[in-house]
Amino acid sequence: MPVSKEQLEEIALSRKEYNLIVQKMGREPTEVELGLFGSLWSEHCGYKHSKALLKLFPNKGKYVLVKPGEENAGVIDIGDGQVVGFKMESHNHPSYIEPYQGAATGVGGIVRDIFTMGLRPIALMNSLRFGPLSQPHNRYLFGGVVGGIGGYGNCLGIADVGGEIYFDDCYTGNPLVNAFCLGTGKAGELVKGRASGEGNLIMLVGSDTGRDGLHGASGLASRTFEEVRELRSAVQVGNPFMEKLLIEACLELAKTDWIVGMQDCGAAGLTSATVEAADKGGSGLDIDVQKVPRREKGMTAYEVMLSESQERMIVIVKKGYEGKVRALFDHWELHSDIIGTVTSDRMVTIRDGGQVVAHAPVETLNTPPVYRFRPKRPAWLDDLQSLNLSKIKDIPSRQAGKILLKLLATPNICSKHKVYRQYDHQVGDNSVVLPGSDAAVIRIQETPKAISMVCDGNGRYCYVNPFLGGVIAVAEAARNTACSGARPMAITNCLNFGNPDKNDVYYQLQECIKGMSQACKKLKTPVISGNVSLYNETRGVAIFPTPVVGMVGLIKNVEHHCTSAFKNSGDIVFLLGNPGDDAGLGSSEYLELIHSKVEGSQQIDLETEKQVQDCVIKAIERGLLNSAHDCSDGGLAVALAESCIQGGIGFSGNLNAKGRLDTALFGESQSRIIVSVSPGAARRLESLAFRFNVPVTRLGIVGGRQFSLKGHIDLPVSELHQAWWNGL
Amino acid sequence: MKFGIVVFPGTWSDRDCYYSISNILGQKAAYIWHKDTDLSGFDCIVLPGGFSYGDYLRTGAIARFSPVMEAVADYSQKGRPVIGICNGFQVLCEAHLLPGVLRQNDHLQYRCQWTYLKTINTSTLFTSKCKQDRVLKIPISHYEGRYYADDDTLKELEDTSRVVFRYATPEGQVTGEANPNGSLNSIAGIINKQGNVLGMMPHPERSCEDILGSTDGNLIWESIIASI
């Protein structure tokens, strides 16, 4: 039966793609088969627009154990038989439609990706973006998303240790909700997401299957925003209690030799879980949907296969061990049902009782077309990238303090404690550096090691200069990691972009990926996992291209970690890196907040960046530094003020501003870190910096209760604190 | 001595309690699944924090019906020590082993932060190592932590020195601002009449090591150990 236009629209497949399916199958697909194709060939599952570009990312490295695409999350080796797996994933569209549940199930999904592999999830982060909070709907989305992340994550007992939150007009109606999870385990105990061994059993564990989340992957994640408003039913509802039971049960199961694989039911539910597992295992499978326990009566085979009901896992059980596996799940008071078997014919056979409703080759299902474009550089970038400072008045000294207070209070810079105090960031007894510093630090129990992690991205930089924005996203994440004393090891990412069918958007995607790849190569941080979220548009206007980087680093000895807060009166403050120039004003927070302009490209030199980072890491490892803080949003003045606020102590120093005062105070020139050292260590720091070829400038001294930059700013730290603390 | 750590479906501080008791304090510890009822062999029972049964009903309201809770009641009637932390405190109140109830925080938000506790009664078996003027830095993490009891109960608690901890400033002043959830009389922890059942919202198992920011939780564990 020829398929209708409406049917194809529902699953977001093009007529051309449909014809390709017919050609490969040698016949028209059945309704269920078409549903399977719609999901697996969606952008969300199949990466058909981005796959060609994603290949640019470096993904090899001596630590890398599991590369992108191989399993649910990437894994790195941290030595002594210990491994760390992590991944970040977007839940933008669902969070827009139903902020609480959208964000909650985003957390649920990323956590499942980790424990599916036999890794215990120990840390969460999230990267959020909204429109300005002055608009009530944005505030509603913000409140709902934060509530959902807390409501779900807190119930699981996984520390939510940080992340980032930004606000910009372009995210009004297009919020970004990217969730990160990290887990730890032992090298030999990783569980694979594969189905193999003819006759082995496919067991479905956890929640019953309902109609919630139908077309989540194909419908929600692969369309633009105005189309999704009607799709509330495509958002799932989370049950964190069920997830907590699944974590404990699955981790217990992972230690047995009763199973060959485990896979969570995420986007596209049973469809992607089973087909991907069969593909990885080089096998086929035979499933009877009648055996799937359901929440509601009258569900069709199509609905059962495409449901995205949460908190469900597929376990591939070795034949003969089903009794043991079932007893384990019974103990945790979880349902478990055998819904099919592994076959060797490389076919997916779906039955509805006695009737075969789908019978298609695994490989065809799991091999969506890959699209390549040759995008042209949009002409409007030229204007955007030039920064005409003759039209921007420098600030007089007497206004510097006022502008500093304004920057500290702006939602993009101010304290986010109103958000993170709603998340349990200490459960697990591992949290060494809590949210609010440059990077979170989590110790690895019973070892001297610690893991540092951070989320970073700057949509404005990428909008103005997609390539350099991509470079800086990685460089800044690595710099934050370095400021905690960790050596950057690897990254995950979420690529949040508009509609890739548009030439400009595809260009942004391509350039960002190229830029990120270049930085990853230079900084030796391979990409080990990630996710792509396209179609982030409302009324034809795309969001800023917003790649978000989740960086993980290793601290060999947790005693030698560092935070951004100034510590002791009398400590000397230095700037590591070049003092910066007027390019630092480009696309800066200052330029937008004070002059309402988004223009001018930042600049970065990766060689310098690497040297600065290596220098700061070495200095922390040697115990020289009392604080280290990345100089980023809001520039030098904001970074110094933040170190004062967090340390509850003052600073006095000089500013050798030869050129523009706003450049010196608020320019965001890259590759700069503010550090403080005890007077006795100053010489050693200077000689270390010399050895790393890093310029070092003495800025002033820690102490007192005033924040003073001679001749420009003299304010009590309490006043800075008040502005910063109450910004949200 | 051996601590028994009760695990309900949804409990998560069990692992932190186990880690602190065994790795930091060097004592024996074992988990007790909520369906088990044999508590012989344990010198102290810990009801840890978490979201038992997802806290989908009133917190602790389902967990109190778990088989282990009858055993815990018997155990406590023999005068043996029971400590309920966070969700464990809520369960103890629901089980009527402690008076009062923990309501939603007055600001209607989850709250995870360091709190500073003034030890009001230092002569209990849980606080013998605490000094009256020494403020304890121990974090909270809860949505339902606002202690509430009727006037008579509250008066009885106060008159009989059964309020063990109050939220205070780092300097030890009991003020409204230092109260993170709106608890009556800034109550952070109370004890039963017999003095062998303690309920507290803050998490002592999270403050047993310098690297985590505080070792003050050890004072509570060490007090228990010293009492056995």
Side-chain angles (χ1 to χ4, degrees):
Chain A
M1 192 185 68
V3 70
S4 71
K5 191 166 160 260
E6 290 72 30
Q7 271 176 293
L8 284 179
E9 267 177 11
E10 193 176 43
I11 54 172
L13 281 183
S14 69
R15 177 67 63 178
K16 219 172 131 190
E17 286 165 340
Y18 179 78
N19 292 339
L20 185 64
I21 291 167
V22 173
Q23 186 201 326
K24 286 196 170 183
M25 297 273 291
R27 61 176 168 83
E28 303 272 345
T30 66
E31 189 200 4
V32 174
E33 285 165 352
L34 191 58
L36 302 183
F37 276 107
S39 298
L40 293 164
W41 286 23
S42 68
E43 181 58 41
H44 195 73
C45 294
Y47 296 102
K48 57 193 172 190
H49 289 90
S50 51
K51 202 176 232 166
L53 293 174
L54 295 176
K55 285 192 177 143
L56 295 172
F57 283 140
N59 59 21
K60 294 196 185 82
K62 57 179 174 179
Y63 316 115
V64 180
L65 288 182
V66 178
K67 293 203 289 269
E70 288 182 353
E71 293 293 340
N72 285 280
V75 177
I76 54 172
D77 188 340
I78 59 166
D80 306 320
Q82 290 161 323
V83 301
V84 167
F86 58 93
K87 190 187 181 185
M88 185 156 35
E89 200 157 75
S90 61
H91 238 216
N92 304 337
H93 290 63
S95 302
Y96 171 62
I97 301 171
E98 208 325 282
Y100 187 97
Q101 292 298 344
T105 53
V107 174
I110 196 70
V111 168
R112 279 196 299 285
D113 277 336
I114 299 300
F115 74 77
T116 298
M117 299 181 69
L119 299 168
R120 176 168 282 278
I122 62 164
L124 294 166
M125 291 193 292
N126 35 76
S127 170
L128 311 177
R129 279 166 180 75
F130 302 93
L133 291 181
S134 49
Q135 293 177 33
H137 193 70
N138 290 335
R139 198 165 265 284
Y140 155 76
L141 292 173
F142 171 64
V145 165
V146 170
I149 290 169
Y152 202 101
N154 292 339
C155 190
L156 301 181
I158 304 171
D160 192 321
V161 294
E164 51 160 18
I165 307 173
Y166 280 95
F167 302 91
D168 193 285
D169 272 327
C170 76
Y171 305 111
T172 296
N174 305 257
L176 300 186
V177 177
N178 295 176
F180 168 101
C181 184
L182 177 140
T184 54
K186 297 211 171 99
E189 294 179 3
L190 287 177
V191 178
K192 292 194 155 66
R194 61 168 187 184
S196 61
E198 189 172 9
N200 284 336
L201 303 162
I202 301 167
M203 197 179 252
L204 180 61
V205 189
S207 292
D208 292 349
T209 299
R211 286 193 171 99
D212 52 332
L214 279 182
H215 296 139
S218 58
L220 266 193
S222 305
R223 286 168 200 263
T224 56
F225 270 83
E226 48 272 34
E227 292 172 301
V228 302
R229 288 201 186 126
E230 307 307 316
L231 293 171
R232 192 175 286 250
S233 67
V235 181
Q236 317 84 348
V237 175
N239 178 352
F241 173 55
M242 179 69 84
E243 178 110 337
K244 168 67 177 159
L245 298 180
L246 276 174
I247 293 174
E248 298 306 330
C250 292
L251 288 179
E252 195 177 318
L253 186 62
K255 291 197 189 306
T256 70
D257 58 354
W258 307 339
I259 59 171
V260 296
M262 200 147 59
Q263 178 76 33
D264 79 299
C265 295
L270 262 181
T271 297
S272 68
T274 54
V275 174
E276 283 173 15
D279 200 11
K280 279 179 202 156
S283 63
L285 35 89
D286 191 328
I287 289 173
D288 183 358
V289 296
Q290 289 285 336
K291 296 192 174 147
V292 175
R294 301 163 192 205
R295 260 177 221 166
E296 46 195 315
K297 287 195 179 119
M299 285 179 71
T300 62
Y302 180 93
E303 288 169 330
V304 170
M305 287 307 292
L306 293 192
S307 160
E308 292 189 7
S309 290
Q310 297 290 290
E311 293 90 22
R312 295 180 304 157
M313 304 285 291
I314 290 289
V315 180
I316 314 302
V317 181
K318 286 183 188 165
K319 197 172 164 57
Y321 288 90
E322 56 272 25
K324 287 185 166 174
V325 174
R326 174 160 284 166
L328 189 154
F329 285 114
D330 284 348
H331 170 81
W332 287 100
E333 300 171 26
L334 289 163
H335 286 292
S336 56
D337 296 274
I338 294 164
I339 60 164
T341 51
V342 179
T343 62
S344 57
D345 61 359
R346 298 287 282 142
M347 297 293 285
V348 170
T349 307
I350 311 288
R351 296 169 200 275
D352 191 353
Q355 193 194 353
V356 173
V357 291
H359 187 65
V362 170
E363 205 181 331
T364 310
L365 279 167
N366 211 26
T367 314
V370 174
Y371 298 123
R372 288 184 178 81
F373 302 90
R374 285 176 184 276
K376 238 180 66 197
R377 183 175 192 275
W380 49 264
L381 274 178
D382 293 338
D383 279 348
L384 210 55
Q385 286 178 2
S386 66
L387 178 64
N388 188 352
L389 283 175
S390 64
K391 287 190 182 158
I392 297 164
K393 254 182 85 176
D394 193 5
I395 52 164
S397 268
R398 63 188 148 76
Q399 274 187 20
K402 218 167 104 189
I403 292 173
L404 174 61
L405 287 170
K406 212 169 160 185
L407 276 164
L408 286 171
T410 191
N412 286 347
I413 289 179
C414 75
S415 169
K416 308 299 187 296
H417 72 279
K418 286 179 186 164
V419 173
Y420 64 72
R421 70 184 178 185
Q422 296 183 55
Y423 307 148
D424 189 335
H425 42 258
Q426 288 174 299
V427 64
D429 270 3
N430 298 320
S431 305
V432 175
V433 176
L434 304 181
S437 196
D438 285 15
V441 175
I442 295 287
R443 62 100 178 258
I444 305 294
Q445 279 180 8
E446 295 174 48
T447 79
K449 289 179 227 175
I451 293 291
S452 161
M453 60 193 95
V454 65
C455 285
D456 239 310
N458 189 320
R460 204 163 43 212
Y461 289 179
C462 294
Y463 170 62
V464 174
N465 190 330
F467 180 85
L468 282 184
V471 171
I472 291 171
V474 175
E476 192 179 332
R479 206 182 309 137
N480 284 325
T481 307
C483 284
S484 72
R487 293 202 175 265
M489 303 246 327
I491 73 162
T492 180
N493 61 59
C494 255
L495 304 174
N496 306 280
F497 288 79
N499 180 352
D501 296 329
K502 295 181 180 169
N503 191 50
D504 294 1
V505 171
Y506 196 84
Y507 175 82
Q508 292 170 332
L509 180 63
Q510 172 187 289
E511 292 303 298
C512 275
I513 289 176
K514 281 185 179 169
M516 291 169 75
S517 302
Q518 191 181 74
C520 284
K521 280 177 193 152
K522 180 72 195 174
L523 301 173
K524 297 196 171 63
T525 52
V527 178
I528 63 158
S529 58
N531 155 260
V532 180
S533 171
L534 304 176
Y535 304 97
N536 291 291
E537 308 207 335
T538 298
R539 288 180 289 279
V541 181
I543 57 162
F544 284 163
T546 313
V548 174
V549 172
M551 171 101 41
V552 170
L554 179 67
I555 299 173
K556 279 192 190 135
N557 180 356
V558 68
E559 299 296 334
H560 287 170
H561 71 273
C562 201
T563 66
S564 57
F566 285 151
K567 307 287 184 312
N568 314 310
S569 185
D571 280 358
I572 302 174
V573 180
F574 289 99
L575 176 71
L576 295 180
N578 289 309
D581 54 31
D582 288 344
L585 289 179
S587 11
S588 65
E589 192 64 41
Y590 158 80
L591 207 60
E592 179 162 26
L593 187 72
I594 307 300
H595 299 282
S596 307
K597 280 186 196 299
V598 176
E599 62 179 45
S601 176
Q602 283 281 324
Q603 285 169 5
I604 183 165
D605 173 55
L606 278 170
E607 185 59 35
T608 309
E609 179 71 49
K610 178 94 173 93
Q611 287 164 343
V612 170
Q613 291 184 19
D614 286 346
C615 177
V616 91
I617 294 166
K618 183 61 87 181
I620 295 170
E621 283 177 352
R622 290 197 177 163
L624 292 181
L625 302 188
N626 291 335
S627 73
H629 188 20
D630 168 33
C631 210
S632 62
D633 302 341
L636 184 81
V638 165
L640 283 169
E642 285 172 341
S643 291
C644 286
I645 293 166
Q646 291 181 345
I649 193 164
F651 164 85
S652 72
N654 288 301
L655 196 65
N656 295 318
K658 292 187 191 86
R660 291 176 65 108
L661 182 59
D662 53 2
T663 296
L665 288 171
F666 309 120
E668 296 175 6
S669 287
Q670 301 297 306
S671 319
R672 296 183 302 162
I673 294 173
I674 290 171
V675 301
S676 66
V677 298
S678 58
R683 285 293 279 281
R684 277 191 290 160
L685 177 68
E686 283 171 315
S687 63
L688 189 70
F690 181 75
R691 208 148 57 71
F692 280 91
N693 198 22
V694 170
V696 50
T697 314
R698 188 185 150 122
L699 295 174
I701 291 181
V702 177
R705 295 184 170 189
Q706 289 289 112
F707 176 81
S708 133
L709 278 166
K710 206 171 168 189
H712 305 295
I713 299 173
D714 191 18
L715 289 165
V717 173
S718 58
E719 199 176 332
L720 301 176
H721 183 274
Q722 203 183 7
W724 177 80
W725 189 252
N726 298 312
L728 266 192
Chain B
M1 89 174 263
K2 192 169 182 182
F3 287 82
I5 301 165
V6 175
V7 183
F8 299 101
T11 295
W12 44 234
S13 272
D14 48 339
R15 294 165 52 80
D16 297 353
C17 289
Y18 187 98
Y19 179 83
S20 298
I21 290 168
S22 53
N23 290 41
I24 309 303
L25 291 139
Q27 304 296 316
K28 286 187 192 135
Y31 296 118
I32 304 167
W33 183 238
H34 74 119
K35 287 182 177 167
D36 296 342
T37 51
D38 181 7
L39 303 184
S40 62
F42 295 110
D43 302 303
C44 174
I45 298 300
V46 183
L47 300 181
F51 284 58
S52 56
Y53 293 94
D55 279 353
Y56 287 159
L57 209 57
R58 211 171 52 240
T59 53
I62 302 179
R64 68 161 287 209
F65 292 109
S66 278
V68 75
M69 285 312 294
E70 239 172 87
V72 170
D74 289 345
Y75 186 92
S76 72
Q77 269 152 29
K78 292 177 192 144
R80 310 191 70 185
V82 176
I83 175 172
I85 300 163
C86 196
N87 195 220
F89 186 10
Q90 295 160 345
V91 174
L92 288 173
C93 289
E94 286 291 335
H96 303 302
L97 294 177
L98 287 173
V101 65
L102 281 314
R103 304 175 68 178
Q104 290 175 337
N105 296 344
D106 57 355
H107 43 73
L108 298 180
Q109 277 186 354
Y110 196 92
R111 193 62 88 238
C112 175
Q113 64 177 60
W114 288 108
T115 54
Y116 298 88
L117 306 180
K118 193 173 167 132
T119 312
I120 307 299
N121 184 343
T122 53
S123 57
T124 77
L125 75 91
F126 303 96
T127 51
S128 60
K129 300 261 177 189
C130 307
K131 295 204 173 91
Q132 211 126 30
D133 51 355
R134 164 89 148 68
V135 174
L136 305 183
K137 182 186 176 191
I138 301 180
I140 55 163
S141 182
H142 59 243
Y143 181 68
E144 286 103 343
R146 176 160 58 119
Y147 185 77
Y148 178 85
D150 60 50
D151 291 345
D152 293 342
T153 308
L154 203 61
K155 186 170 183 311
E156 192 196 323
L157 284 174
E158 295 287 2
D159 291 348
T160 53
S161 301
R162 286 167 53 198
V163 173
V164 180
F165 301 113
R166 281 192 226 282
Y167 299 108
T169 63
E171 296 76 33
Q173 301 300 313
V174 177
T175 66
E177 263 191 357
N179 182 346
N181 52 28
S183 286
L184 287 181
N185 297 7
S186 291
I187 287 173
I190 57 166
I191 203 164
N192 68 341
K193 239 179 233 164
Q194 294 79 1
N196 64 321
V197 178
L198 171 77
M200 63 187 295
M201 286 313 293
H203 288 269
E205 79 282 6
R206 293 187 182 185
S207 43
C208 299
E209 288 171 88
D210 279 324
I211 194 82
L212 301 180
S214 169
T215 56
D216 292 349
N218 286 334
L219 293 173
I220 293 169
W221 300 117
E222 283 164 3
S223 300
I224 300 172
I225 294 163
S227 78
I228 302 298

